[in-house]
């Protein structure tokens, strides 16, 4: 079975963002946010094709989130926002929160809604409005998700969007 970008957007990204917004109306949910998350997943996973980082790196899931980034979201962001933490916890299997960090990291691979919520939280505290244009979003992704030290380029991000959409 293959999942295409349209299915991922309407079946995973949009309902996940709606769930978060229902509980936290102050967290922006619009087409720009949806497109940024969709483009991030498409680029990071090679068109929703890879769940593990090529070459054996630590990144996990369609968003290729590294375990230390995942842990930082919980320790440095959600720890100070218990209501939001509860909402995000509601997306994960309860067993994951009673086990080790490895088990919770596994949610990034096996639970698309949870991984989408964590990807949204990576972007959430970043400065500036999420741009509406593809080039603007590519720049935003490079600065706030891939970072200046990351190997990805804005040209690759745009090429992924063009290839898969």
């Amino acid at each position: 079975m293959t999942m295409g970008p349209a299915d991922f957007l309407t079946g995973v990204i949009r309902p996940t963002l709606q769930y978060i917004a229902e509980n936290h109306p102050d967290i922006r949910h619009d087409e720009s946010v949806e497109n940024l998350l969709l483009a991030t997943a498409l680029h990071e996973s090679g068109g929703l094709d890879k769940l593990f980082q090529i070459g054996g790196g630590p990144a996990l899931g369609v968003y290729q989130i590294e375990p230390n980034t995942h842990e930082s979201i919980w320790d440095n962001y959600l720890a100070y926002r218990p209501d939001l933490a509860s909402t995000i916890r509601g997306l994960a299997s309860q067993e994951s929160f009673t086990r080790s960090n490895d088990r919770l990291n596994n949610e990034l691979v096996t639970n698309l809604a949870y991984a989408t919520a964590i990807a949204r939280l990576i972007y959430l505290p970043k400065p500036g409005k999420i741009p509406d244009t593809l080039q603007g979003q590519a720049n935003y992704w490079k600065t706030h998700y891939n970072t200046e030290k990351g190997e990805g380029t804005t040209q690759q991000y745009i090429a992924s969007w063009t290839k898969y959409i």
Side-chain angles (χ1 to χ4, degrees):
M1 179 171 86
T2 303
M3 174 177 51
D7 290 337
F8 189 65
L9 174 64
T10 59
V12 178
I13 293 173
R14 188 169 294 146
T16 301
L17 294 176
Q18 288 170 339
Y19 167 77
I20 294 169
E22 286 170 7
N23 293 287
H24 304 278
D26 56 316
I27 296 179
R28 181 174 168 215
H29 165 219
D30 61 23
E31 188 175 341
S32 295
V33 176
E34 290 180 356
N35 286 339
L36 177 66
L37 290 173
L38 178 59
T40 299
L42 290 171
H43 176 69
E44 296 288 342
S45 69
L48 305 175
D49 192 43
K50 303 288 184 233
L51 294 175
F52 301 96
Q53 187 171 353
I54 294 172
L60 300 169
V62 295
Y63 295 99
Q64 293 292 288
I65 299 169
E66 293 188 5
N68 63 347
T69 301
H70 184 213
E71 188 175 321
S72 178
I73 290 293
W74 280 100
D75 292 347
N76 301 315
Y77 191 76
L78 290 172
Y80 302 99
R81 293 160 182 84
D83 289 344
L84 181 56
S86 179
T87 298
I88 302 307
R89 194 174 290 113
L91 291 168
S93 68
Q94 294 308 306
E95 182 179 342
S96 291
F97 281 94
T98 61
R99 301 261 177 129
S100 68
N101 279 347
D102 288 340
R103 178 75 180 161
L104 186 56
N105 285 330
N106 193 46
E107 291 283 322
L108 297 172
V109 176
T110 63
N111 185 331
L112 295 173
Y114 179 81
T116 296
I118 296 300
R120 177 64 181 110
L121 293 177
I122 291 170
Y123 285 117
L124 187 61
K126 305 303 181 190
K129 180 181 182 273
I130 293 173
D132 296 327
T133 66
L134 181 57
Q135 181 65 57
Q137 289 186 2
N139 294 337
Y140 198 83
W141 163 83
K142 177 61 182 167
T143 301
H144 300 302
Y145 198 92
N146 183 260
T147 75
E148 293 303 318
K149 294 180 181 180
E151 293 181 19
T153 67
T154 57
Q155 294 83 4
Q156 291 169 337
Y157 179 97
I158 291 168
S160 291
W161 180 265
T162 303
K163 179 178 180 179
Y164 300 115
I165 300 293

